[in-house]
Amino acid sequence: MANSVVTVTGLRVVRGGRDVLRGVGFEIPRGSVTGLLGPSGCGKTTLMRAVVGVQLVAEGTVEVLGRPAGHPALRSRVGYATQNPAVYADLTVAECLRYFAAVLGAPAADVDRVLTEVDLADRAGQLVGSLSGGQRGRASLAVALLGSPELLVLDEPTVGLDPVLREDLWDLFHRLAAAGTTLVVSSHVMDEAARCDRLLFLREGAVLADDTPDGLRAETGQADLEQAFLRLARAAA
Amino acid sequence: MKATVTARRVLTQLRHDPRTIVMLLLVPTLLMTLLRFVFNDEHAFSRTAPALLGVFPFVIMFLVASVTTLRERTTATLERLMTMPMGKLDLILGYAIAFGAIAVVQVGIATVVSVLWLGLSVVGSVWTLLLIAVLDALLGMALGLFVSAFATSEFQAIQFMPLFVLPQFLLCGLLQPRERMGWLLEWLSDVMPLSYAVDALTRVTRSADFDGTLVRDLVVVAGCVVVALGLGAGTLRRQTA
């Protein structure tokens, strides 16, 4: 696929003597929201780390924007938000964002933009350590948005958020995708699957399905994506 | 450039923690004052004080630097920085600049108080004394940054202090002249950077000569700072298992 932003082939990752990813391969097209779904421990985070280039890989290749994952030229073009908020608890939200913006070489005005995007503008002067868990997660998401990266890798960005905020963030993801950004968003909540353009179902370190939500519904004959996942999982076992 | 940005970030973090700042700046001075009254005699104080003027900041900066960087390593912020256009050496230098600035103030206060009020007599230049003491603090910081790479928990990081720092303290010549130790201990003392720092501090308080030995001491300490910072940067990993 000429237009693919991420190309993974035969990816195998071993952690703690155990195969966490067992020969995973897929492509992610530009300007889409790809949902990475599967139960806890299925290898979602490891796969995302491999795409960002911080994961030691045993076998296979991960190519991002035409270069091997983790290539120095990619460092300002890929935004990554880890599952645990990677923000400094002893800085204010604005101080923290200003620091990461300076590291990325992003324009100073970006700080206000991303704060508005994650709905934290009114918390800019507050210490990160005094934010709620959900707010801290959004602060961490805001860092990933700095510098408008071409690829956004977001590990469970909507966890612990109230439904309204979750809705807002999904709107944001689709706006970004419409503007050409490619997003990979992980979740273990199946009801978020329907919001994605494409789905990667992951189970026990292998890709169970790689399709659009409608494609999966048609293939499994299930209207509900949770049921579709179950059917695929049973068929694979 | 990325280093100064990081230094400013580290100092901003500290600014939100005023108690830590006060302790960083005043604890060595407090200990020097305590030492002065332990001896209750200016002469005896002047014999031990120069070495401790280097040792106290050395110990404190070692602890602070190792815990701060360990925190960065164990939280996801280091991983995040390593996915960004941030050089490893830039990050370590950023820490070095921030803690170096604190060390200058910390040692400055302790030196001024020791010389003006506690009766520390310095035959050589007070500026040289200050320079060596700051180098000592930087050495503690650089070693702290480096060994934090080998600690996987705060418990380990804290215990690296007695492991890495106290042997240097015992062997640096403060408790017993180094040449009177057994050959093995003297040899160990010869390869420990703190020995050269304490030697330099003692020299500058006793003599006005800026001689070759003093220059050698300074070069050894400064060299160890640079090597430890380089090794510290080398222990950062962009990819982990």
Side-chain angles (χ1 to χ4, degrees), chain A residues 69-111:
Chain A
H71 189 278
L74 294 175
R75 283 180 199 144
S76 51
R77 298 172 69 193
V78 178
Y80 174 43
T82 50
Q83 205 166 340
N84 296 323
V87 276
Y88 297 100
D90 43 6
L91 289 180
T92 68
V93 177
E95 285 166 349
C96 186
L97 285 167
R98 277 200 295 269
Y99 170 62
F100 284 115
V103 170
L104 286 164
D110 249 23
V111 171

Side-chain angles (χ1 to χ4, degrees), chain B residues 171 178-192:
Chain B
L171 297 179
R178 291 164 51 200
E179 58 277 9
R180 266 198 261 152
M181 296 174 194
W183 64 269
L184 179 62
L185 292 188
E186 192 182 348
W187 179 81
L188 277 174
S189 170
D190 281 346
V191 295
M192 289 179 169

Side-chain angles (χ1 to χ4, degrees), chain A:
Chain A
M1 209 186 300
N3 202 26
S4 71
V5 169
V6 179
T7 310
V8 176
T9 35
L11 178 64
R12 196 167 75 87
V13 173
V14 183
R15 292 183 79 176
R18 203 175 65 85
D19 276 20
V20 183
L21 293 178
R22 304 174 291 142
V24 170
F26 59 89
E27 293 189 5
I28 293 177
R30 184 177 294 275
S32 63
V33 181
T34 300
L36 195 54
L37 283 105
S40 176
C42 70
K44 294 190 297 286
T45 298
T46 305
L47 182 53
M48 297 191 120
R49 283 170 44 86
V51 169
V52 178
V54 295
Q55 177 66 50
L56 283 174
V57 163
E59 253 174 61
T61 56
V62 182
E63 201 168 272
V64 176
L65 297 162
R67 294 176 191 273
H71 189 278
L74 294 175
R75 283 180 199 144
S76 51
R77 298 172 69 193
V78 178
Y80 174 43
T82 50
Q83 205 166 340
N84 296 323
V87 276
Y88 297 100
D90 43 6
L91 289 180
T92 68
V93 177
E95 285 166 349
C96 186
L97 285 167
R98 277 200 295 269
Y99 170 62
F100 284 115
V103 170
L104 286 164
D110 249 23
V111 171
D112 290 331
R113 175 182 64 85
V114 298
L115 276 175
T116 313
E117 279 176 346
V118 301
D119 196 25
L120 272 183
D122 55 338
R123 305 280 171 179
Q126 197 174 325
L127 279 180
V128 170
S130 70
L131 296 175
S132 74
Q135 289 167 340
R136 220 182 282 199
R138 275 184 287 148
S140 185
L141 171 63
V143 176
L145 298 175
L146 286 167
S148 308
E150 291 161 67
L151 171 66
L152 270 173
V153 181
L154 309 175
D155 202 352
E156 311 233 354
T158 58
V159 109
L161 295 183
D162 77 68
V164 178
L165 268 170
R166 207 150 65 137
E167 189 72 31
D168 288 350
L169 282 187
W170 277 100
D171 286 346
L172 169 66
F173 297 161
H174 283 291
R175 274 205 314 278
L176 290 168
T181 307
T182 308
L183 293 94
V184 182
V185 180
S186 75
S187 175
H188 64 267
V189 198
M190 281 296 163
D191 66 346
E192 295 202 304
R195 300 169 185 266
C196 302
D197 302 325
R198 297 181 56 82
L199 292 172
L200 269 178
F201 279 175
L202 216 57
R203 192 166 181 271
E204 290 171 359
V207 175
L208 203 56
D210 174 7
D211 207 338
T212 60
D214 283 341
L216 281 169
R217 288 190 188 104
E219 187 195 330
T220 56
Q222 298 286 339
D224 182 47
L225 287 167
E226 172 120 33
Q227 292 301 321
F229 181 88
L230 273 173
R231 177 156 293 199
L232 288 166
R234 290 213 181 96

Side-chain angles (χ1 to χ4, degrees), chain B residues 19-181:
Chain B
R19 193 187 294 173
T20 294
I21 295 207
V22 170
M23 289 201 289
L24 274 174
L25 296 187
L26 296 184
V27 166
T29 307
L30 244 143
L31 291 173
M32 292 306 287
T33 311
L34 186 63
L35 181 73
R36 168 66 183 80
F37 293 104
V38 165
F39 284 119
N40 210 14
D41 165 48
E42 279 190 7
H43 199 70
F45 173 69
S46 283
R47 212 168 41 236
T48 325
L52 290 173
L53 199 55
V55 170
F56 290 149
F58 176 81
V59 173
I60 293 167
M61 295 312 278
F62 180 93
L63 268 179
V64 172
S66 55
V67 170
T68 322
T69 44
L70 181 73
R71 217 165 46 151
E72 182 114 68
R73 283 174 200 269
T74 51
T75 64
T77 50
L78 180 68
E79 181 170 305
R80 169 162 254 165
L81 284 174
M82 291 290 98
T83 66
M84 291 184 172
M86 160 66 84
K88 296 175 189 176
L89 199 59
D90 278 335
L91 182 62
I92 291 290
L93 280 182
Y95 271 104
I97 294 169
F99 289 128
I102 288 172
V104 169
V105 182
Q106 177 189 63
V107 168
I109 298 173
T111 308
V112 166
V113 170
S114 299
V115 171
L116 291 187
W117 288 301
L118 301 179
L120 171 65
S121 58
V122 183
V123 180
S125 151
V126 176
W127 291 109
T128 313
L129 179 73
L130 195 64
L131 170 73
I132 303 165
V134 168
L135 272 178
D136 285 0
L138 285 176
L139 178 67
M141 175 214 69
L143 288 177
L145 286 178
F146 172 53
V147 302
S148 78
F150 306 104
T152 51
S153 71
E154 278 85 353
F155 288 131
Q156 292 177 15
I158 292 291
Q159 293 195 82
F160 278 150
M161 198 280 278
L163 183 65
F164 279 85
V165 171
L166 291 187
Q168 297 203 55
F169 174 73
L170 293 176
L171 297 179
C172 73
L174 182 69
L175 304 179
Q176 163 90 317
R178 291 164 51 200
E179 58 277 9
R180 266 198 261 152
M181 296 174 194

